[in-house]
């Protein structure tokens, strides 16, 4: 299978994403160790800082998307990448919690700008029937880039020196610059004039779309199952070997890389995307049941149940991701793709903020009943998406076609 899509805007976006996510993989892997062992922050300070920056990024998502619509998404994306490079490099000068918080907030705003601009850039540079497929390619290469960055970060962690950590932080900064350089090959997507009357941030007034965003964000808590709940469950509540945690995570990464593009077929239209969301909820519910069944049994039984649950879960993950892209692109007006993509991202951020508490309390704290309750929750969330999307589709006003990229 090819790693990159066909030559054209989609390939340029994929190459830029691949380079950028190598740096992201290093940062995700070493950030906690760098901030505690090299900067000298406490674990509580790191947790508080990351929570604050996540909240800032959430609140900035829609306004940054609006600016991408008004000023052109390619320019906004380039500015966000360059700003991220500078702010990331500034981390090496951080020596206190206030300094970390100041740099972290700036990084969060730049990240929000990048997300909103990326959605509008895909909408403007790629034909409408290829947008979901392009997002699928980007998710596949993101997993490859993060995996490469994680391996690279391992060398710095093994050295466990400030020099090693600083080198990895600077590598992350350089990948932002590399991603920006590649992005220059994209044609210019012209800005879209603001409507002459009415509110500017219309995404935040679009109740059907916000209802979908909340549902999708709550559904995204399933990422916490594989990353947070399952490792704790395997280690403390099953007889399976601890190394199975890595096996489940590796299985997830490989399946996403190989099958995300294929799983996106049929989700380009709203009806198909709604059905995919419903299937995702049902499949993730089944995965929760398999995880629940792995407790209190022998290792010979627990291991196939856990691997089977991880495989079933990632199938639901593929459908959930593809459904979200199809719905968020399909419901957004042509003149407001940036702000709608930013608003859609708010749901994912909401899910990532509440997932640690919800999945650990239910799955790890309550055990089998908690797993089954989570499964029921995902089943209901998935079932609610199609009627909400139908409601949203009925409220869409007719509008002219989106502008064609030039340059």
């Amino acid at each position: 299978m090819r790693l990159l899509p066909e030559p054209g805007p989609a390939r340029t976006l994929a190459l830029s994403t691949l380079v950028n996510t190598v740096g992201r993989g290093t940062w995700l892997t070493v950030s906690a160790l760098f901030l505690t062992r090299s900067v000298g922050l406490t674990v509580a300070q790191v947790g508080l800082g990351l929570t604050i920056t996540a909240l800032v990024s959430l609140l900035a998502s829609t306004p940054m998307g609006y600016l991408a619509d008004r000023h052109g998404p390619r320019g906004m994306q380039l500015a966000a990448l360059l700003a991220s490079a500078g702010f990331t490099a500034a981390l090496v000068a951080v020596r206190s919690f206030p300094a970390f918080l100041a740099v972290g907030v700036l990084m969060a705003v730049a990240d929000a700008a990048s997300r909103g601009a990326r959605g509008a850039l895909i909408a403007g540079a790629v034909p409408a029937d290829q947008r979901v497929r392009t997002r699928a390619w980007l998710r596949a290469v993101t997993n490859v880039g993060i995996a490469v960055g994680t391996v690279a970060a391992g060398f710095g962690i093994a050295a466990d020196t400030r020099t090693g950590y600083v080198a990895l932080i600077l590598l992350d900064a350089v990948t932002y610059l590399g991603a920006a350089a590649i992005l220059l090959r994209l044609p210019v997507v012209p800005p879209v004039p603001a409507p002459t009357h009415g509110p500017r941030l219309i995404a935040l007034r679009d109740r059907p779309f916000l209802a979908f965003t909340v549902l999708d964000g709550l559904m995204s808590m399933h990422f916490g199952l594989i990353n947070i709940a399952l490792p704790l469950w395997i280690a403390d509540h099953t007889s399976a070997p601890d190394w199975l945690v890595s096996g489940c995570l590796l299985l997830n990464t490989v399946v996403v890389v190989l099958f995300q593009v294929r799983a996106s077929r049929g989700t380009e239209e709203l009806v198909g995307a709604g059905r995919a969301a419903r299937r995702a909820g049902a499949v993730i519910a089944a995965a929760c049941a398999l995880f629940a069944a792995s407790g209190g049994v022998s290792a010979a039984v627990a291991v196939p149940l856990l691997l089977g649950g991880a495989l079933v879960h990632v199938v639901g993950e593929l459908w959930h991701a593809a459904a979200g892209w199809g719905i968020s692109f399909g419901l957004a007006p042509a003149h407001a793709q940036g702000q709608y993509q930013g608003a859609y991202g708010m749901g994912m951020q909401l899910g990532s903020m509440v997932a640690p508490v919800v999945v650990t309390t239910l799955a790890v704290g309550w055990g089998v009943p908690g797993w089954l309750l989570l499964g029921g929750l995902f089943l209901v969330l998935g079932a609610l998406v199609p009627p909400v999307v139908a409601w949203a589709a009925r409220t869409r006003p007719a509008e002219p076609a989106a502008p064609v990229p030039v340059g």
Side-chain angles (χ1 to χ4, degrees):
M1 294 184 65
R2 292 179 292 110
L3 176 61
L4 297 172
E6 298 81 2
R11 173 169 289 192
T12 301
L13 287 164
L15 279 170
S16 177
T17 299
L18 181 62
V19 170
N20 190 204
T21 51
V22 170
R24 181 182 172 193
T26 63
W27 170 247
L28 291 174
T29 305
V30 306
S31 57
L33 292 174
F34 167 73
L35 293 169
T36 54
R37 297 186 179 182
S38 182
V39 177
L41 303 183
T42 66
V43 173
Q45 287 175 324
V46 172
L48 177 61
L50 293 177
T51 300
I52 292 173
T53 56
L55 182 59
V56 169
S57 183
L58 185 151
L59 295 176
S61 290
T62 304
M64 289 296 113
Y66 173 82
L67 292 177
D69 291 325
R70 299 293 79 82
H71 300 287
R74 195 189 77 151
M76 190 69 156
Q77 180 80 318
L78 288 170
L81 290 169
L82 294 176
S84 295
F87 299 147
T88 300
L91 284 168
V92 303
V94 167
R95 290 292 188 276
S96 66
F97 178 70
F100 163 58
L101 195 59
V103 174
V105 166
L106 292 174
M107 291 175 66
V109 173
D111 183 61
S114 179
R115 281 197 313 275
R118 182 168 58 248
L121 192 55
I122 294 170
V126 177
D129 61 348
Q130 292 296 312
R131 291 169 182 170
V132 174
R133 181 177 173 85
T134 299
R135 286 296 298 259
W137 276 112
L138 298 188
R139 184 161 193 257
V141 300
T142 291
N143 276 261
V144 174
I146 289 178
V148 172
T150 299
V151 172
F155 294 99
I157 292 174
D160 196 23
T161 63
R162 176 168 176 80
T163 299
Y165 290 130
V166 167
L168 291 171
I169 298 300
L170 294 179
L171 171 63
D172 186 15
V174 169
T175 63
Y176 282 110
L177 298 177
I182 294 171
L183 209 61
L184 289 172
R185 296 163 50 187
L186 271 183
V188 174
V189 177
V192 183
T196 56
H197 60 278
R200 294 294 183 257
L201 296 181
I202 58 173
L204 299 181
R205 295 170 176 262
D206 188 337
R207 288 182 294 175
F209 184 82
L210 291 179
F212 157 71
T213 297
V214 171
L215 289 176
D216 188 79
L218 293 175
M219 177 81 84
S220 73
M221 290 191 300
H222 72 78
F223 291 107
L225 297 181
I226 201 76
N227 296 323
I228 302 171
L230 192 60
L232 297 173
W233 177 255
I234 290 174
D236 299 333
H237 297 274
T238 76
S239 56
D242 290 352
W243 56 259
L244 195 64
V245 172
S246 296
C248 290
L249 292 174
L250 178 62
L251 175 66
N252 180 277
T253 299
V254 170
V255 171
V256 170
V257 170
L258 294 180
F259 296 106
Q260 182 64 78
V261 175
R262 185 176 301 178
S264 69
R265 294 173 183 169
T267 61
E268 298 85 359
E269 302 295 332
L270 289 176
V271 173
R275 290 172 180 166
R278 183 169 56 207
R279 292 197 304 269
V283 168
I284 294 170
C288 289
L290 289 171
F291 293 145
S294 67
V297 297
S298 67
V301 177
V303 169
L305 284 172
L306 290 165
L307 288 175
L311 181 59
V312 171
H313 170 270
V314 75
V315 172
E317 178 181 325
L318 298 178
W319 281 334
H320 168 243
W325 301 327
I327 295 167
S328 63
F329 279 128
L331 293 179
H335 70 276
Q337 281 285 353
Q339 65 167 292
Y340 268 73
Q341 297 307 313
Y344 165 64
M346 290 174 62
M348 299 290 289
Q349 290 174 290
L350 173 65
S352 67
M353 290 176 68
V354 302
V357 174
V358 173
V359 302
T360 55
T361 298
L362 294 181
V364 182
W366 292 14
V368 172
W371 277 111
L372 298 179
L373 182 58
L374 277 171
L377 174 62
F378 290 122
L379 184 65
V380 171
L381 289 171
L384 288 174
V385 170
V388 168
V389 170
W391 170 35
R394 291 193 299 268
T395 68
R396 301 302 95 177
E399 62 175 352
V404 178
V406 297

